[in-house]
Amino acid sequence: MLKNKMDIFCWFDDSRSRLFASFRTNISMLEIKPELKDRIMTHDRSIVAARYVVRQKQVMIVCQAGDVSFWSLEGQKTKRFSEQHTGENFDTTCLGFDEFGEKFYTGGSDGKIRIWNYNGRILQTLDAGKGTAVEITQIEAIKRRIVAVGWSKHLTVFRDLQQVEGRPSAPTEWKGEKDKTEGHDDDIVCMAVTLFFPQLLASGSTDGEICIWNTSSELFVRRLDQRKRSPNDTQAKLQDNAADFAITMLRFLDKRMATSTNNNLAGANLLSCGGIGFVRFWNVHTGKLISEFQAHTDVSSVIMEIDMHNKYLGTGDVNGLVKLWDIEQYCLQSDSITVGKSLPPLLAEFTAHSDSITCIDFLEKDERMFILTSSSDCSVVLSDINGNPYGTFGQPNQWRLDMDLSKINEENLQADRNKDDNKSQEEYSKENDEESRSVLSQDIDNMSSVTDEEMLTRRSNVWESTSIGVMYQEKRTNRRQRNQPSLITKKDYLLWEKTGLAPGGAYGALDTFELPTIPDQKKTAYLDTTYLWQANNLGDNIRRRPLPSMIGENLKSAFDERSIFPKYILDYEAKQKQLFEAGNQQQATNMAPISGINFNSQTSVRQTVDAAFKIKRQSSSSTLLSDQKAQ
C-alpha cells in the first residue's frame, strides 16, 4: 500500500473524443477510439466537414486525420489524398474555400493554414499561430484576403496572397482593432460573410457577443450583445455555464440582404446558434434580436446550415439528431418590441448518426433538394429533404438518386395498411362463419317441420345466409372499377410517376400530329430543262434549238500559213528547208562521179517531188473546207 495518497483527475471532451488526465504537474491527452462493429465508416477518424463542391460536382469530405476524399453523389469514391506526412502529428480542424472556387483551405491544430488545389497539391502554407500551436476553428476568403479565427480575441488576416504565393506570408491584425477599443472581449470562434454588396462580416465569440464589420474598410459597424454573458459573473458561475452562451455558427440570409428595402429592413437577416440548443434571428441594420427558440432540448450546443434559397434551416446536436425547419416566411417583419418565441414549421426530424453532428450541407440536383450530414462517428450520410437516407459514403453498393424515397415509403405504408385491413377482414370472415354456422343449425332444426312440396318450392338467400356469399358480395361491391382503355392525354409515364424525373434515353417524350393539307398545284406543259435559253413565257409552239454555226461558213478563201503561225516559226521552217536543200545538193555532188548520174537530172527529180508535195497539201486543205461546209 502507498503511504501517501496521490489522486489522478480526468476529464473527457465528448466533441473531440479526447481524455485529459492530470497527475501532479503533468497533463496527458489521450485519444478515445470506440470499438465499432458492423457499421459503415467513410473515414477512419472523425469527420470535420463534408461539403458539395458545385464546380467539381462532387462531395468533398475532410476527416480529423487530414485525409481529403472526393465522392460522386451516387457514393463512388473518385480520389483521395492526405495532408500529413511522415513525422507530422496534428489534427485538421476546419475547411474553407476561396472566393473563385479554384482552391480550398484546411486549418490544423498546429496553427497553420494550407492552401490546396483540387489535384491534391499544397500551394502555400500560412502560419497563423506565429510559431505556436493554436486551434483554427474557421477560415474565410474575402477580396484577396484570408481571415482566420479560433484562438484569439482578434481577427487574423493574410493579405495580398497573389503576390506572395510560394513564400510564407506574415499575418496581420484587422484594421478596425488597432486601437483595441472595439471588438470582442473573449475568443472569436465563428464568423460569416455576406455575398452581396455592401459586404459585411459578422464574428461571434464564446461569451455570446456578435460584432458586425465592414470588409472594405475593416471598420467596426455594430454590436449585437443582447444575449452576451454578464461580465459580473463569478469564476465558479463562469465555469458552470461557460458553454451556455458560446456561439457555434453564424449565417447571413443573403437573399433577404440582397432584396432589402424600406419595407423589409425590420426583418431578420442573420442567424446564430450555440449554447443549450438555441437558434436566434437578428437584424444587422438595427442590431435588434427579433426571435429565438430552442431547437434542441437537453443538449449543450447545436450547429446549423441554411440552403442557397434561404428556405430551409437544418440543425444538428451532439446526439446525432437532425431537424429541418421552414424559415422562408419566418421573421420577415418585426413590429413588436418583445422578442418572439414562436417556432418555425418543423418539416422533418431524423437520427442519421450515432454521435455528434459536425457539418450539415444542402445541395440541389435535378430540381430536387438533398441534405448532407457528417458526424464524429466517422460517417457521412446523404438524405432527401424529408430525412430518408439514400446511403452512407463508403458502403459497398452505390445508390440511385432518381428514386423518390418519399413515394416509396408511402407505398410501403399503404401496403402495411392493406395487410392490416386484410387481417381485420379475416377476423371478420371468421365471425361471419360462426354466425352462418349458427344460422345453418337453426335451419336444419326447422327442416324437420317442412313438407316435401315446401322443400321443392323453397329458395334460400345465399347472399345473406352463407359466409361465402357475404364475402363474395363484399368483394364485388368493393372492387375497384376497371377503367376502359382510352388515349393518353398527358405525358405522364410510369417512370415519371415513381421518380418524378423525365425518362432517360434518346427521347424524353413523343407526340403525333396530323400533316397539313397540301393545295393542288397547277399542271403546266412539260418543258425540257436542256433548253435553258428559252424565255419564261412560252407559247403553244415550242421552238427547237438551232444548230451551232461552223467556222468554215465564214471562210471565203483557203487559209494561209502566214495568218495562222507567227513569223518566227515561218522563218525557222524556211531556214530548215534551205539547210535541207543545201545538204541534198552537197550529197548529190559527192555521189555524181560514183553513180554516174547527172546532176541536172537529180535537180529535176527534186523539183518534181516538191511540186507533188505542194499539190497534195492544197488538196488536203480544200477537202477540209468542203467537209465543214457540208456540216
Side-chain angles (χ1 to χ4, degrees):
M1 295 181 61
L2 298 175
K3 295 182 179 180
N4 297 328
K5 288 185 177 181
M6 293 178 291
D7 297 331
I8 299 177
F9 297 96
C10 298
W11 180 75
F12 180 67
D13 187 356
D14 191 14
S15 60
R16 297 173 178 82
S17 298
R18 297 291 189 273
L19 177 64
F20 295 88
S22 64
F23 176 71
R24 291 183 178 177
T25 59
N26 298 326
I27 299 177
S28 300
M29 183 179 65
L30 305 176
E31 181 182 2
I32 304 299
K33 288 186 177 181
E35 186 177 358
L36 304 175
K37 294 182 179 180
D38 299 332
R39 194 162 63 87
I40 301 172
M41 294 189 301
T42 309
H43 283 259
D44 297 333
R45 296 279 297 275
S46 300
I47 306 299
V48 174
R51 296 289 182 181
Y52 178 68
V53 184
V54 179
R55 193 166 184 175
Q56 302 291 329
K57 295 182 180 180
Q58 291 181 344
V59 176
M60 181 179 178
I61 302 174
V62 180
C63 75
Q64 204 172 51
D67 295 335
V68 182
S69 60
F70 290 85
W71 306 72
S72 65
L73 287 178
E74 289 76 18
Q76 181 181 6
K77 184 190 295 184
T78 57
K79 57 183 175 180
R80 179 173 180 174
F81 47 84
S82 177
E83 65 175 334
Q84 291 190 9
H85 302 284
T86 305
E88 294 181 345
N89 186 14
F90 61 89
D91 292 338
T92 301
T93 56
C94 61
L95 172 67
F97 299 90
D98 71 332
E99 52 187 337
F100 304 106
E102 297 176 352
K103 306 172 186 176
F104 66 92
Y105 316 120
T106 57
S109 59
D110 57 349
K112 294 183 180 180
I113 301 174
R114 293 163 179 84
I115 304 177
W116 300 74
N117 60 10
Y118 287 98
N119 295 326
R121 178 188 173 190
I122 299 180
L123 304 177
Q124 190 176 359
T125 302
L126 309 178
D127 190 2
K130 297 181 180 180
T132 59
V134 297
E135 184 175 356
I136 302 172
T137 58
Q138 191 171 350
I139 305 171
E140 291 291 341
I142 48 173
K143 295 181 180 179
R144 300 184 301 276
R145 291 167 292 174
I146 293 180
V147 184
V149 296
W151 69 98
S152 173
K153 302 178 183 179
H154 311 288
L155 300 171
T156 301
V157 189
F158 293 89
R159 309 177 189 275
D160 299 330
L161 296 176
Q162 309 287 344
Q163 301 178 4
V164 297
E165 185 171 352
R167 294 181 297 169
S169 177
T172 58
E173 292 184 356
W174 195 255
K175 292 181 180 179
E177 299 174 331
K178 287 184 177 180
D179 52 358
K180 309 299 180 182
T181 58
E182 304 292 350
H184 293 274
D185 298 330
D186 210 333
D187 292 344
I188 305 173
V189 292
C190 62
M191 56 183 170
V193 182
T194 58
L195 298 178
F196 303 98
F197 185 82
Q199 198 172 23
L200 301 176
L201 184 145
S203 57
S205 59
T206 56
D207 58 355
E209 184 183 34
I210 301 175
C211 294
I212 309 298
W213 310 83
N214 189 331
T215 59
S216 299
S217 60
E218 299 184 2
L219 296 179
F220 177 80
V221 177
R222 192 170 287 105
R223 190 187 308 275
L224 311 178
D225 54 358
Q226 286 88 334
R227 293 296 179 265
K228 182 181 178 181
R229 184 179 57 205
S230 175
N232 299 325
D233 293 344
T234 60
Q235 187 67 24
K237 190 175 182 180
L238 288 175
Q239 293 178 358
D240 293 338
N241 60 358
D244 296 346
F245 296 90
I247 299 176
T248 57
M249 278 192 175
L250 290 170
R251 289 293 182 267
F252 276 104
L253 296 173
D254 292 315
K255 295 294 182 181
R256 299 188 186 184
M257 294 285 291
T259 59
S260 294
T261 59
N262 294 329
N263 296 328
N264 61 0
L265 280 176
N269 48 28
L270 177 65
L271 274 72
S272 68
C273 70
I276 60 177
F278 267 88
V279 177
R280 295 180 174 88
F281 287 73
W282 306 80
N283 186 284
V284 297
H285 301 294
T286 60
K288 179 181 177 183
L289 176 61
I290 297 178
S291 177
E292 63 179 355
F293 63 93
Q294 191 173 12
H296 298 256
T297 58
D298 300 331
V299 293
S300 58
S301 63
V302 293
I303 66 167
M304 68 175 181
E305 188 58 69
I306 58 175
D307 68 316
M308 62 188 73
H309 305 293
N310 299 160
K311 182 179 179 180
Y312 301 110
L313 168 66
T315 57
D317 59 14
V318 294
N319 299 321
L321 180 63
V322 179
K323 292 184 180 181
L324 298 179
W325 311 83
D326 186 5
I327 60 170
E328 187 176 11
Q329 302 296 328
Y330 187 73
C331 291
L332 292 178
Q333 298 291 336
S334 178
D335 299 331
S336 60
I337 301 176
T338 60
V339 178
K341 300 292 183 179
S342 61
L343 276 71
L346 180 62
L347 300 178
E349 179 179 354
F350 59 96
T351 303
H353 302 274
S354 60
D355 207 338
S356 59
I357 304 297
T358 58
C359 183
I360 301 174
D361 193 17
F362 290 91
L363 59 100
E364 186 176 1
K365 184 181 182 183
D366 298 333
E367 299 181 354
R368 297 176 60 195
M369 190 68 70
F370 301 91
I371 183 171
L372 194 70
T373 57
S374 65
S375 172
S376 297
D377 61 359
C378 310
S379 64
V380 178
V381 178
L382 180 67
S383 309
D384 63 359
I385 198 63
N386 297 318
N388 302 313
Y390 279 91
T392 304
F393 289 91
Q395 68 182 30
N397 300 326
Q398 300 182 20
W399 55 81
R400 293 176 54 187
L401 289 180
D402 56 353
M403 298 175 60
D404 194 348
L405 299 180
S406 299
K407 292 184 179 180
I408 295 175
N409 292 337
E410 290 178 1
E411 292 177 357
N412 295 334
L413 291 175
Q414 187 64 28
D416 295 338
R417 291 173 184 173
N418 294 335
K419 290 181 180 179
D420 295 338
D421 294 340
N422 293 333
K423 290 182 180 179
S424 61
Q425 187 68 25
E426 291 177 358
E427 295 175 357
Y428 178 72
S429 63
K430 290 181 180 179
E431 294 177 358
N432 288 337
D433 290 340
E434 295 176 356
E435 293 178 359
S436 61
R437 288 173 184 174
S438 62
V439 172
L440 286 174
S441 62
Q442 294 177 2
D443 292 341
I444 292 172
D445 295 337
N446 296 329
M447 284 179 65
S448 59
S449 61
V450 179
T451 61
D452 295 339
E453 294 180 356
E454 291 178 354
M455 182 67 69
L456 293 174
T457 58
R458 183 177 180 179
R459 299 181 62 183
S460 61
N461 189 358
V462 297
W463 292 98
E464 298 178 357
S465 60
T466 61
S467 60
I468 297 177
V470 172
M471 292 175 61
Y472 185 75
Q473 185 180 10
E474 289 180 353
K475 288 182 179 180
R476 294 287 296 178
T477 55
N478 297 330
R479 187 179 64 178
R480 183 176 62 87
Q481 297 293 330
R482 182 178 298 175
N483 296 328
Q484 297 297 328
S486 59
L487 295 176
I488 299 176
T489 58
K490 297 182 179 179
K491 299 175 182 179
D492 296 331
Y493 301 99
L494 181 63
L495 186 63
W496 290 32
E497 294 175 357
K498 286 189 175 181
T499 64
L501 301 175
Y507 303 97
L510 297 177
D511 195 4
T512 59
F513 58 91
E514 295 182 358
L515 295 175
T517 57
I518 301 176
D520 296 336
Q521 301 292 333
K522 291 184 178 181
K523 295 183 179 180
T524 57
Y526 174 73
L527 301 178
D528 191 356
T529 56
T530 56
Y531 303 134
L532 299 177
W533 57 273
Q534 296 180 3
N536 294 329
N537 299 324
L538 295 177
D540 296 336
N541 298 327
I542 300 175
R543 295 177 294 174
R544 297 290 184 182
R545 185 173 64 177
L547 296 173
S549 60
M550 304 303 295
I551 300 176
E553 295 179 356
N554 299 327
L555 294 177
K556 296 181 180 179
S557 61
F559 67 90
D560 188 9
E561 293 181 352
R562 295 181 179 179
S563 60
I564 296 176
F565 300 102
K567 184 177 181 298
Y568 69 92
I569 293 178
L570 298 176
D571 294 343
Y572 180 76
E573 186 180 3
K575 186 176 180 180
Q576 292 296 328
K577 286 182 179 180
Q578 292 178 2
L579 294 175
F580 180 73
E581 292 176 355
N584 290 339
Q585 291 177 3
Q586 184 68 27
Q587 185 178 4
T589 305
N590 296 333
M591 294 180 62
I594 300 172
S595 60
I597 301 175
N598 191 5
F599 178 77
N600 294 329
S601 62
Q602 292 180 357
T603 304
S604 61
V605 173
R606 179 67 179 177
Q607 292 177 356
T608 303
V609 173
D610 293 339
F613 277 112
K614 186 175 184 181
I615 293 170
K616 186 177 180 180
R617 186 182 298 172
Q618 292 178 358
S619 63
S620 62
S621 60
S622 61
T623 304
L624 177 61
L625 290 175
S626 62
D627 293 340
Q628 293 177 355
K629 289 180 180 180
Q631 293 179 0

